[in-house]
Amino acid sequence: MTDPQPPFDQDEYRRRQRERARIMAILLLAFVALVFGITIAKMGLYE
Amino acid sequence: MQNAATDMPRYPASAADLFALTKPRVMSLVVFTALCGLLAAPETIPTVLGFTAILCIAVAAGASGALNQWYEADVDAKMKRTRGRPLPAGRMEKRTALHFGVGLGAFSVLLMGLATNYLAAAILAFSIFFYAVVYTVWLKPRTPQNIVIGGAAGAFPPLIGWAAVTGDVTLLPVLMFLIIFLWTPPHFWALSLFVKTDYDAAGIPMLPVVAGNAATRRQVVIYTLPMVAAAIAPWPLGLTGPVYGAASLVLNAVFLWLAIRVGMNKAEDPAAMGPEKKLFGYSILYLFALFAILTLDRMFFA
């Protein structure tokens, strides 16, 4: 006999979605800052 | 948590599980050796470009780890050491791991090309292909020499770090590649001697499983010899100064002594494999110390 499945937890589903969205937002902002830094550094290389 | 009807996880993969897919512990050695290659190069690049190069190498290593876990999910489920990973534990869909790995890999190669140069990006792309396809798909399930060729995948980071700065590849980064390449077999075979039963259960043809302990111990000693030669070579070739020369002599003498003790050990019981455990532990310290001293020597003394 197998254990019954616990009920689907909508709040847990939403919590994970929010967690991933928050991390993605932080990573995208960091990426924008990095590309800005790369651009400035590259401009300096060719001056 | 699985969905009974579809056998799929019912919740999106957590950030912690996605991070675990990248094998963060392996990444620390990759980042370190890449940084050594970057700092040992005879030129310099702006800090932000150097940071980006290291970031790309780390992300590419993460991509390789994710693709490896995607392909090996069934094998991982059979080993005690790996059955708690996100895929065999059923906390993530296989498709998620595939998309994550391919996405990270493409991102790292494109960013490397844009930030540094296309040679570094090309070697980076090849290193992902080498680990995910040549090692994971072709070699690991087929040949007990899997670790030998697979070791090349872990040896690329210093080469890429160097290429990111100079745009070319010369003798020293090739020697750094060779050191890691030749270090990998004795390092992993020492481990596989005392965790043999785990690989056995998963059907992975690791050398101790296929050829036995005696043959594996002999191979540990055999591979240590060219590794020692490659590790000392930068000094007599004039690529480093006497600080590295002296340190590498000591570090390699200890490695060789520990490898010979493994070669002389006859134990079959993992509990009596003290020399193997010592060599495995020392091999990690050895690589960190050797690369750190090589880099410091190049930066300050050479």
Side-chain angles (χ1 to χ4, degrees), chain B:
Chain B
M1 186 176 295
Q2 305 276 118
N3 181 324
T6 61
D7 204 32
M8 297 286 234
R10 296 195 298 174
Y11 302 117
S14 72
D17 278 341
L18 286 171
F19 184 64
L21 268 192
T22 64
K23 298 190 177 178
R25 273 194 296 178
V26 176
M27 210 189 282
S28 61
L29 190 66
V30 166
V31 167
F32 176 74
T33 54
L35 188 64
C36 289
L38 192 137
L39 293 173
E43 300 163 28
T44 56
I45 51 172
T47 309
V48 68
L49 299 185
F51 170 79
T52 306
I54 299 296
L55 180 74
C56 288
I57 295 168
V59 171
S64 304
L67 291 171
N68 170 275
Q69 289 193 46
W70 165 73
Y71 188 77
E72 290 191 337
D74 298 337
V75 175
D76 283 348
K78 294 176 188 157
M79 292 201 289
K80 198 169 72 183
R81 185 172 64 85
T82 52
R83 70 173 63 124
R85 286 177 175 174
L87 287 169
R91 297 195 302 273
M92 184 187 292
E93 281 186 58
K94 276 189 85 173
R95 198 177 47 180
T96 304
L98 176 64
H99 292 176
F100 185 62
V102 172
L104 283 185
F107 171 80
S108 64
V109 170
L110 288 174
L111 186 60
M112 179 68 99
L114 290 171
T116 62
N117 57 69
Y118 293 114
L119 176 66
I123 306 173
L124 189 68
F126 183 71
S127 73
I128 300 172
F129 169 79
F130 200 89
Y131 187 78
V133 179
V134 177
Y135 172 64
T136 304
V137 177
W138 291 343
L139 296 173
K140 196 171 173 185
R142 285 189 176 82
T143 162
Q145 294 296 313
N146 49 20
I147 283 303
V148 179
I149 311 295
F156 282 112
L159 207 66
I160 302 166
W162 180 290
V165 178
T166 63
D168 63 9
V169 171
T170 57
L171 183 57
L172 184 59
V174 171
L175 282 172
M176 292 168 91
F177 172 91
L178 269 181
I179 293 168
I180 305 178
F181 176 62
L182 294 165
W183 164 90
T184 308
H187 167 76
F188 270 109
W189 282 333
L191 172 72
S192 64
L193 276 164
F194 58 89
V195 294
K196 192 175 80 171
T197 48
D198 223 12
Y199 284 116
D200 212 355
I204 297 285
M206 291 302 280
L207 197 60
V209 177
V210 177
N213 288 353
T216 306
R217 289 181 169 118
R218 212 165 34 244
Q219 295 286 320
V220 165
V221 179
I222 289 170
Y223 273 93
T224 299
L225 298 173
M227 184 208 73
V228 166
I232 295 172
W235 177 43
L237 290 173
L239 301 170
T240 61
V243 174
Y244 175 78
S248 71
L249 283 176
V250 174
L251 286 166
N252 281 290
V254 175
F255 197 112
L256 187 59
W257 167 239
L258 291 174
I260 289 170
R261 282 190 58 204
V262 167
M264 293 191 316
N265 193 14
K266 302 267 183 263
E268 293 293 320
D269 177 10
M273 291 190 184
E276 286 77 4
K277 289 172 189 169
K278 271 194 188 132
L279 178 65
F280 177 71
Y282 176 76
S283 66
I284 297 168
L285 174 77
Y286 164 89
L287 201 68
F288 271 104
L290 195 79
F291 270 71
I293 295 165
L294 185 147
T295 307
L296 292 173
D297 185 294
R298 291 273 306 175
M299 288 171 75
F300 300 111
F301 304 114

Side-chain angles (χ1 to χ4, degrees), chain A residues 5-10 12-13 15-17 19-20 23 31 34-35 37-38 41-42 45, chain B residues 1-4 10-15 18 46 48-49 51-52 55 107 111 114-116:
Chain A
Q5 281 271 306
F8 180 74
D9 186 345
Q10 186 72 31
E12 172 62 14
Y13 190 89
R15 189 192 69 74
R16 290 201 183 192
Q17 275 190 327
E19 180 197 36
R20 284 173 57 157
I23 290 171
F31 180 62
L34 184 65
V35 171
I38 291 169
K42 286 266 186 190
L45 283 180
Chain B
M1 186 176 295
Q2 305 276 118
N3 181 324
R10 296 195 298 174
Y11 302 117
S14 72
L18 286 171
V48 68
L49 299 185
F51 170 79
T52 306
L55 180 74
F107 171 80
L111 186 60
L114 290 171
T116 62

